[in-house]
Amino acid sequence: MKSQALSDLIARTRSCRRFRQAEGIEMATLRELIDLARLGGSARNVQPLKYLPVNDPARNEAIFPHLGWAGYLKDWPGPPEGERPAAYIVCLLDTRLAKEAGCDLGIATQNILLGATVRGLAGCRIGSVSPTLGRRLDLADHLRILQVLALGHPLEQVVIEPLGAEGDIRYWRDPEGVHHVPKRSLDELIVAAGAGE
Ligand SMILES: Cc1cc2nc3c(=O)[nH]c(=O)nc-3n(C[C@H](O)[C@H](O)[C@H](O)COP(=O)(O)O)c2cc1C
């Protein structure tokens, strides 16, 4: 893969919160995405993450009310019926293997979201998950929900913006429904040696 192609893939892998709900995602595809997570790095190579793939309408409906959507969009309670995720991957910590997941979760979810993008899909990490979801899904006691990945065929356009002069990092949606995500500039991120002295 050319480096430009990799940059484009990463830039296109944006959080998406509105989907063509009627277009499903096969269980085989969810398994392929989880296999990408499997190949990611893991602290001490413990690999304590487990995954629950869900793609049936009844369980999708059971999961949805437990999720918090786009905290900065105060007037938007989340995607309406018809624009909801077609599938989820519930990311779990196997507490028999480790007490915390460290960086593994970020690596795993990024691999999944990159894999979704190349398949024409999109998704969003949902860290805002109600503590009652585990019971609703009848999970074994040793499995702790860390995050839920919402997945589907994208319905919304997401664009990256430079941060405004006032430095506001909040994403916003314009009247046409395009979702704008401010990102800090490269120069702001790179620290000169000895800058703290
Ligand atoms: C650890 C983590 C947790 C997140 N939790 C939520 C969430 O609960 N609800 C939501 O709508 N978005 C959530 N997001 C998505 C962020 O809002 C999103 O990454 C951010 O706005 C930047 O957009 P981008 O992913 O397109 O770069 C989460 C992202 C991360 C990395």
Side-chain angles (χ1 to χ4, degrees), residues 19 25 30 33 84-89 112-113 116 121-124 149-153:
F19 306 95
I25 302 178
L30 296 178
L33 295 175
R84 292 183 178 167
Y88 297 96
I89 294 175
I112 291 173
L113 292 172
L121 303 171
C124 188
L149 284 178
L151 295 163
H153 292 81

Side-chain angles (χ1 to χ4, degrees), residues 13-17 68-72 124-129 147 158 171 179 181 183:
T13 301
R14 302 267 58 84
S15 295
C16 171
R17 300 178 180 86
W69 294 88
Y72 290 143
C124 188
R125 296 178 183 87
I126 305 289
S128 170
V129 181
Q147 209 173 89
V158 182
Y171 47 77
H179 185 87
V181 183
K183 292 285 182 194

Side-chain angles (χ1 to χ4, degrees), residues 85-159:
Y88 297 96
I89 294 175
V90 182
C91 301
L92 305 160
L93 176 69
D94 186 336
T95 58
R96 296 172 306 186
L97 297 174
K99 294 295 160 232
E100 48 110 30
C103 297
D104 294 16
L105 181 65
I107 297 167
T109 57
Q110 187 69 6
N111 281 5
I112 291 173
L113 292 172
L114 290 167
T117 303
V118 296
R119 287 164 175 78
L121 303 171
C124 188
R125 296 178 183 87
I126 305 289
S128 170
V129 181
S130 137
T132 53
L133 179 61
R135 223 175 308 130
R136 184 73 181 76
L137 293 173
D138 206 16
L139 291 174
D141 287 345
H142 64 276
L143 296 174
R144 197 169 86 218
I145 297 176
L146 298 179
Q147 209 173 89
V148 175
L149 284 178
L151 295 163
H153 292 81
L155 184 62
E156 72 179 350
Q157 191 193 344
V158 182
V159 293

Side-chain angles (χ1 to χ4, degrees), residues 7-28:
S7 307
D8 290 346
L9 174 61
I10 292 170
R12 283 192 291 123
T13 301
R14 302 267 58 84
S15 295
C16 171
R17 300 178 180 86
R18 291 187 294 152
F19 306 95
R20 304 197 294 273
Q21 187 175 340
E23 295 178 33
I25 302 178
E26 298 287 327
M27 190 51 71

